[in-house]
Structures are given as structure tokens and as C-alpha cells.
Amino acid sequence: MLRFPNRSKTADWPELSFKDWSNTAATLHMWSQIIGKIRLAQTPWTNHSWHVPFYITARGLSTSLIPYDGRAFEIIFNLLNHQLVIQTTNGGQQSLALESRPVSSFYQNVLRALATLGLDIQIFTTPSEVADGIPFEKDSTHHHYDREFATRFWRALVQMDRVFKEFRSRFIGKCSPVHFFWGSFDLAVTRFSGREAPPHPGGVPHLPDWVAREAYSHEVSSAGFWPGGGKIDTPAFYSYAYPAPDGFSKAQISPPEAYYSDKLGEFILSYDDVRTSESPDDKLLEFLQSTYEAAANLSGWDRSALERELVPNP
């Protein structure tokens, strides 16, 4: 296997203790849902909800261009200078400081900024994929924003985005972009075998069952990163298969720090195990590749038709 140049070092991956930034993470999650739902309301449906995620940029997270009548706009979470920036293709711009404030205040300020730019957009205000979610206009619970940890989170995503894209380059079958889902608040990349899958059971909080079934309409091996929360209280990488083939949970995967979580039904590798290793890139790629191989081999994917040899950059 070819090795890519310019591997990262431990120092390139910031410390990201979930306990220390959980309040900021919860607030940023809700803010991101507001912006994500704006994109959802305006963007034509793309298979597997690929029309709604954000993308990692040189300053933070971006919606990419969103159509609006005969023009378009983009919304950017600048997590380096701590601004929410809304830009339109006819030269308009509005900014909102990212600072400690309730979700309800953030929501109202975003609506005012959109109105100033002539963007009249209505969204469903109950958070998606969150049990007992508080409607944005009523949410005074989530209000904390720590600049240092918001920037650390983005810097960590920059490293992951690069490694995930290297992993993605090995696959020539159908594969998602590397993208950030604001509903589940995770960075993800998903490979497809090309075969149909059994209907997904649904049951995701505040997410229509048909959306989940369309997202998992075909067999997948999916991997990504969570910052922590819910059933896992530490930042971690994950990998799962849908449908999970027989023997998947017992498959031999690597590195040795990785394990199968019965609670989640997924393989897990701690962010700190990657960050503190001699070569974080290689440690993460080892996890991504071995868990994919477990899913593909046990499910009988046609790997010779779906994979390719790596080629060096010119």
C-alpha cells in the first residue's frame, strides 16, 4: 500500500476532552441544526440526505451554496474567528458573533440576518435525531460557547477530514462525500456495495421513518467520528455495517485498542488512542480499513470491482 506524504503528528491533533467541552458541544449542536434546517428547506433532495450536511473548510464548517430563487447563499460557521457568516451571490453579507447565548437568541438573530438579506425561509424548529429536543425558539437551556474548545473541535475535524478523504480514495464504488451531519453531529463517510438492503426499522427521534429507510436503502459500510455524548462519553471514531452480517461483532479488527460496543452495535476507537499514537493517520486508517474489510468480507461484497490501487500524486 502506498504511503502518502506529510503524515500528521500527535501535536497536530488537539486534546478534546468531552467532559471539558460538553456544554459548548451541546450548544453548537443546536446552532448547527438551525443552519442545517435552513439548507434542508431550500435544497433539492439528494439520495441518502446528501443535500443537507456541512463540509469542513479552512475556517470551520460551511453549508456550501444554497439556492434561493435566482440567486444563492452560503452560511459559514467560522470557528477560528468565531463568526456566523451569511453571504449571498449578489454581494450581501451578514455576520453574527459566536459567543455564549441561548439557542433561542441565536435562532432569532439568524432569522433577522436572513430577512435583512431578503431571504424568507421557514424551518421546522424541533431538533432532529434528539430525544426530548427543545424547539429552538424556546431553548434557553443551551447557551454555553467556549471559543478555545470550538476551535479545537474544528482543528480535529480538519485532521479527520484529510484522513477520511484518503480512505475514500481507495474505493471506486458508490461512496458518500466526507461530510458533517448536523442531526447526529458527526463527520462521516459511507461506502455502498451496490446491493439493496432490507428496510431500516426507523424509530430515530424526530426523523421520519422514510428518511431513515431511504438513507439505508442499500448495503453500507459507514465510518465516522462523534465528539461524545449519549451512549459514549468520550470523543471516538466508529464503524458499522447495515445490515450487519453474521459474525460482524466478533470480527478480528485492528488496531488492538478498537472494540465492538454492544450498546451501539458498532466498532469504536477512542480519539485519544489515535491522537497520542506515533502516527495518528496510520492508526485511524488501520481502523477504517480493517472494519470495512470485516463488513465487506462477511457480506460478500465484490471487492475486486469496488476497490483500486492507490496512485501517487503527480
Side-chain angles (χ1 to χ4, degrees):
M1 182 179 68
L2 278 172
R3 293 178 61 86
F4 282 58
N6 303 318
R7 287 307 207 206
S8 66
K9 304 177 291 296
T10 295
D12 298 320
W13 296 68
E15 292 186 30
L16 197 63
S17 166
F18 184 70
K19 182 180 71 173
D20 293 335
W21 90 292
S22 59
N23 290 332
T24 293
T27 300
L28 192 56
H29 186 188
M30 293 301 100
W31 290 354
S32 74
Q33 291 231 1
I34 293 168
I35 304 307
K37 284 172 177 280
I38 291 169
R39 185 180 184 202
L40 171 63
Q42 289 298 124
T43 308
W45 190 275
T46 303
N47 52 284
H48 316 303
S49 299
W50 291 355
H51 60 302
V52 300
F54 301 151
Y55 306 97
I56 312 304
T57 73
R59 291 293 184 271
L61 295 165
S62 169
T63 59
S64 74
L65 280 180
I66 301 170
Y68 187 90
D69 292 338
R71 55 192 172 125
F73 66 101
E74 178 182 19
I75 306 180
I76 301 164
F77 279 97
N78 185 324
L79 299 178
L80 191 59
N81 297 323
H82 306 286
Q83 296 281 323
L84 183 82
V85 182
I86 308 173
Q87 299 174 321
T88 65
T89 53
N90 61 340
Q93 178 169 309
Q94 289 285 304
S95 298
L96 174 65
L98 297 179
E99 59 190 8
S100 291
R101 69 170 79 201
V103 169
S104 57
S105 172
F106 180 86
Y107 172 65
Q108 295 299 333
N109 277 275
V110 167
L111 291 184
R112 280 194 286 270
L114 291 172
T116 299
L117 294 169
L119 303 170
D120 181 17
I121 300 170
Q122 305 298 316
I123 64 172
F124 182 62
T125 62
T126 298
S128 299
E129 302 183 56
V130 177
D132 303 318
I134 306 169
F136 304 136
E137 69 275 15
K138 299 178 180 179
D139 188 350
S140 59
T141 300
H142 302 104
H143 56 80
H144 191 79
Y145 185 81
D146 186 305
R147 288 187 166 204
E148 177 184 350
F149 276 102
T151 299
R152 286 191 195 185
F153 176 53
W154 162 69
R155 291 195 184 281
L157 291 177
V158 168
Q159 298 299 331
M160 299 167 203
D161 182 71
R162 176 179 49 76
V163 177
F164 282 10
K165 285 174 177 172
E166 179 178 334
F167 174 66
R168 187 184 187 278
S169 73
R170 303 173 179 180
F171 197 75
I172 59 173
K174 178 179 173 180
C175 188
S176 77
V178 176
H179 46 198
F180 187 88
F181 279 106
W182 41 267
S184 45
F185 207 56
D186 63 329
L187 189 71
V189 61
T190 302
R191 294 176 170 186
F192 292 76
S193 73
R195 299 188 303 234
E196 291 187 358
H200 191 277
V204 180
H206 303 295
L207 187 77
D209 287 348
W210 73 264
V211 175
R213 291 184 181 124
E214 196 274 344
Y216 292 100
S217 61
H218 291 71
E219 290 181 343
V220 302
S221 171
S222 188
F225 168 79
W226 282 316
K231 296 180 180 179
I232 185 166
D233 59 1
T234 183
F237 298 96
Y238 66 81
S239 181
Y240 66 88
Y242 183 81
D246 291 342
F248 184 61
S249 64
K250 304 298 183 183
Q252 295 298 307
I253 56 105
S254 57
E257 299 93 338
Y259 65 94
Y260 186 83
S261 167
D262 289 320
K263 288 192 300 184
L264 297 171
E266 303 178 357
F267 286 104
I268 298 295
L269 176 63
S270 166
Y271 171 77
D272 279 343
D273 285 333
V274 170
R275 180 182 68 84
T276 59
S277 65
E278 182 177 347
S279 174
D281 293 28
D282 290 328
K283 178 81 75 172
L284 178 52
L285 283 167
E286 184 180 358
F287 175 72
L288 297 173
Q289 185 65 28
S290 69
T291 53
Y292 157 70
E293 289 182 358
N297 291 339
L298 289 169
S299 297
W301 288 25
D302 185 359
R303 293 184 56 191
S304 63
L306 296 171
E307 301 170 25
R308 71 177 176 90
E309 294 292 327
L310 298 180
V311 295
N313 292 328

